[in-house]
Amino acid sequence: MTNEELLEVIEEAKASGVTRLDLRYKRITVLPREICQLTSLTRLDLGYNNLTTLPPELFQLPNLTELYLSYNKLTVLPQELFELRNLTGLGLGGLSLSALPSELFQLTKLKELWLEGNQLTTLPPEICQLTKLEELILDNNPLTSPPLEIAEKGIEAIRQYFSSLKAGVASLNEVKVLLVGDGAAGKTSLVKQLLGEAFDQHEDTTHGISIRGWDVEAGGQPIKVNIWDFGGQEIMHATHQFFLSKRSLYVLVLDGRKDERAEYWLRHIESFGGDSPVLIVLNKHDANPSFDLNRPFLLGKYPVIKGICRTSCADGHGIGRFRDALLKELAQVPMIGIRWPQSWFAVKQRIEQMGKPYISREEYGDLCADAGLAGEENRSTLVDFLHDLGVAVHFKDYILNATHVLDPVWVTNAVYKLINAEQTADSKGRLRLDSLCAILPQGREEPYSYPACTHAYVIELMRKFQLCWRVGEEAVLIPQLLPVPEPPFTFDYSGSLGFVLHYHSFLPPSVMPRFLVKRHGQIKPDLCWRTGAVLRDQASGSEAVIKADTEARRIYLWVNGPRRKEYLSFLWFSLREINSSFEKLAVSERIPMPDDKDVTADYQTLLDSVQDGIERIRPDGAKRAYSVKELLGQVELKPEEKKSFVEMLNSVVEIKAMPPFVDINISELFKIVLATQKGK
């Protein structure tokens, strides 16, 4: 917007006496002093422009109560800003602020304060002086005090945190290190080398997980390390979602004797661990000294890789260098610098000394009360921290929330035994609930005991993480153990509506099992296998086939029936919901050509073409150009079809009231449904 155009807007606003003015995304570089003529303004939004300074006249607006300056190029916040004592809303996001000016806390009428996208590492206790503050947005800041987990819970959690600090504070100095990789890569032997234990060439394979403690000094400070050694059996990869967490340190161990899948594991780590640092270990150097990776390529593609080490646990080669690299990275993990109230440490210490595999929520509450830890937000945040550190396992779920598992090995061992039980494999994944007593050991002499009262919790945990679904009242079905061969069935592919999801670099192994669990109620009898299923929506009579090609990293959908577009949207939404639970998962959603199903066009590219005024497009491999509008018409829903889709979705999940339908595409509709489902 030019200065002349902006002056015209101001003149029109003055003439009409507007009280709210939105000037976002106008590419404004200079705000004219004539802005002071808008004396009726109560709200002014100047976000997402190129302002480097603000005229003093802006701060003379007598009725201004909301001012939003986010995502400009302001290098200094003018002192006049803090004279606006009647402000109830202030936006300062994306301004590269590394600290908050003390004058900010004089704006005691603030109810909303937006500080997202800055460089804030600490939040001063003076924030509590803003007693009327109801909403404080701190997303995308490198906060360590208060911890990000607390900041994300909102201003009340922050107030409780600062209140608890009055009784004393200390640095956490504890971190979780996770070793992942294929089975028999030597992860357990590597852990033993770090701990100074002897190498055993007949080391048993790790089943589930093994957790060891390691006290070290790194960066001039003592650090307690919780080392998690994950079993590499492929059938257990989907259970990693229980425990892979952010703000940890990952060690990817590759077997030098094999053609290892480095990128598979890097994507696996990225999906759950986000930007957590990774060390790669090329193990068993003694067996294959020439084994290596394309280091420049991987380091360029995955910035989280902090080093690549060669080791041999058999002869000790490279162990010292790996240890040094590990200690260097440990000192830089963000979790290390977090400060905890003394009451939190007291609760943590009591839990670690209990020697019980699990406690009830009530027992946890009593521990907190005894330690002087008040406030539900504080208690909830602490148990989340204990989960990330590996001290306890906690899940936010109505049923699961009733129990806090204090020994992660206890619950992982149970899941491992159930999935790998001979009777489960023999019955093609069907697990009878009355067989749990025979599969899960009980008794004081057992290292891990599972009395009957714990069985419901274990099954509910598996259901929550979509590892199984109920079959009547007497059994569950584990999709990872379904038959591999596709059973015979009939389906009219020629007249069907098709859709393809192409996972660019990584198709997480849990996507298809989770989809089968989510939509198990619509699977036709005996028509599901390990990588696909035939489904039917009883209400509409529509049918669908879904198949995963793991090598090609694609999932295919075909839908037939009177409401096939709505049913396709329903199944597409289910996959979108699963995909959104992974970090940085790149997926291309593609529409097949009507006369050549092997050629597809990216859905988002088609939407962008509409925005750019492009009417026809020739996808890669196509022999001719196609109408963009007609291709989108294969999947886009008309208003009445959108209502039908939401009704279909409401039959399986509870979502909050939808806003009135406007002219939005199906992708935007998905976002609205996901947001309302989460209550955002």
Side-chain angles (χ1 to χ4, degrees), residues 591-612:
I591 300 173
M593 299 302 101
D595 55 354
D596 190 347
K597 303 296 185 182
D598 293 331
V599 177
T600 60
D602 178 66
Y603 170 70
Q604 186 59 50
T605 299
L606 294 174
L607 293 179
D608 294 341
S609 297
V610 172
Q611 291 293 320
D612 295 339

Side-chain angles (χ1 to χ4, degrees), residues 235 417-436 439 468-469 471 474-484 526 528-530:
I235 196 171
K417 285 184 177 296
L418 294 177
I419 289 179
N420 289 280
E422 185 176 341
Q423 50 265 62
T424 311
D426 290 343
S427 60
K428 304 299 182 184
R430 186 184 179 92
L431 172 65
R432 290 189 57 85
L433 299 181
D434 58 13
S435 69
L436 266 63
I439 298 173
C468 68
W469 70 79
V471 181
E474 74 286 347
V476 295
L477 190 63
I478 301 172
Q480 290 172 286
L481 300 175
L482 285 168
V484 174
D526 301 320
C528 60
W529 57 101
R530 203 167 294 184

Side-chain angles (χ1 to χ4, degrees), residues 140-422:
N140 299 318
N141 277 287
L143 280 172
T144 58
S145 179
L148 185 61
E149 288 82 353
I150 291 176
E152 289 176 342
K153 292 179 182 292
I155 184 59
E156 187 55 38
I158 292 172
R159 290 181 180 125
Q160 290 183 15
Y161 172 77
F162 280 119
S163 176
S164 64
L165 291 183
K166 295 176 183 178
V169 64
S171 294
L172 178 59
N173 286 8
E174 187 167 342
V175 69
K176 184 176 176 182
V177 173
L178 304 100
L179 276 73
V180 297
D182 285 333
K187 298 184 292 295
T188 302
S189 295
L190 194 61
V191 172
K192 293 177 71 174
Q193 290 289 299
L194 287 174
L195 300 179
E197 299 175 5
F199 171 71
D200 180 0
Q201 65 178 10
H202 303 296
E203 188 73 53
D204 290 337
T205 300
T206 301
H207 301 303
I209 57 172
S210 170
I211 302 176
R212 303 286 301 273
W214 186 34
D215 294 320
V216 299
E217 184 167 312
Q221 58 185 331
I223 296 177
K224 180 180 179 182
V225 183
N226 299 314
I227 304 177
W228 288 50
D229 173 9
F230 282 84
Q233 299 85 353
E234 186 140 359
I235 196 171
M236 295 299 292
H237 291 184
T239 66
H240 289 174
Q241 61 188 307
F242 284 0
F243 309 112
L244 298 192
S245 55
K246 301 177 184 177
R247 306 219 291 186
S248 301
L249 175 61
Y250 286 81
V251 177
L252 169 56
V253 184
L254 302 177
D255 187 343
R257 303 169 304 173
K258 303 176 183 177
D259 184 15
E260 287 281 47
R261 305 175 295 169
E263 288 207 68
Y264 167 86
W265 282 107
L266 287 167
R267 289 293 185 186
H268 198 76
I269 293 169
E270 187 178 64
S271 295
F272 296 104
D275 293 325
S276 294
V278 180
L279 289 174
I280 298 180
V281 174
L282 309 181
N283 201 22
K284 304 191 178 181
H285 174 267
D286 56 302
N288 184 7
S290 63
F291 174 63
D292 208 346
L293 302 171
N294 186 343
R295 300 189 185 206
F297 171 77
L298 289 177
L299 290 169
K301 188 173 181 179
Y302 301 95
V304 295
I305 299 175
K306 302 303 178 182
I308 301 176
C309 307
R310 292 182 182 274
T311 62
S312 169
C313 297
D315 61 19
H317 176 86
I319 297 297
R321 285 189 293 274
F322 166 61
R323 178 190 174 99
D324 291 342
L326 184 60
L327 292 177
K328 177 183 175 182
E329 292 305 321
L330 282 174
Q332 300 178 49
V333 175
M335 189 76 83
I336 293 294
I338 288 176
R339 297 190 307 159
W340 271 19
Q342 290 290 358
S343 57
W344 290 24
F345 282 103
V347 174
K348 177 176 176 288
Q349 186 176 23
R350 288 282 303 278
I351 286 176
E352 291 174 328
Q353 294 173 346
M354 291 186 73
K356 296 173 62 176
Y358 53 88
I359 59 173
S360 68
R361 180 175 180 174
E362 289 72 23
E363 289 178 286
Y364 173 70
D366 291 341
L367 284 178
C368 292
D370 292 343
L373 178 57
E376 186 58 35
E377 293 290 354
N378 265 336
R379 295 179 179 185
S380 174
T381 302
L382 174 57
V383 81
D384 288 342
F385 264 120
L386 296 176
H387 179 95
D388 285 343
L389 287 172
V391 175
V393 179
H394 165 69
F395 302 105
K396 295 180 178 68
D397 183 274
Y398 179 73
I399 296 176
L400 298 177
N401 195 34
T403 302
H404 300 315
V405 177
L406 305 185
D407 187 347
V409 179
W410 178 84
V411 68
T412 313
N413 185 62
V415 174
Y416 181 89
K417 285 184 177 296
L418 294 177
I419 289 179
N420 289 280
E422 185 176 341

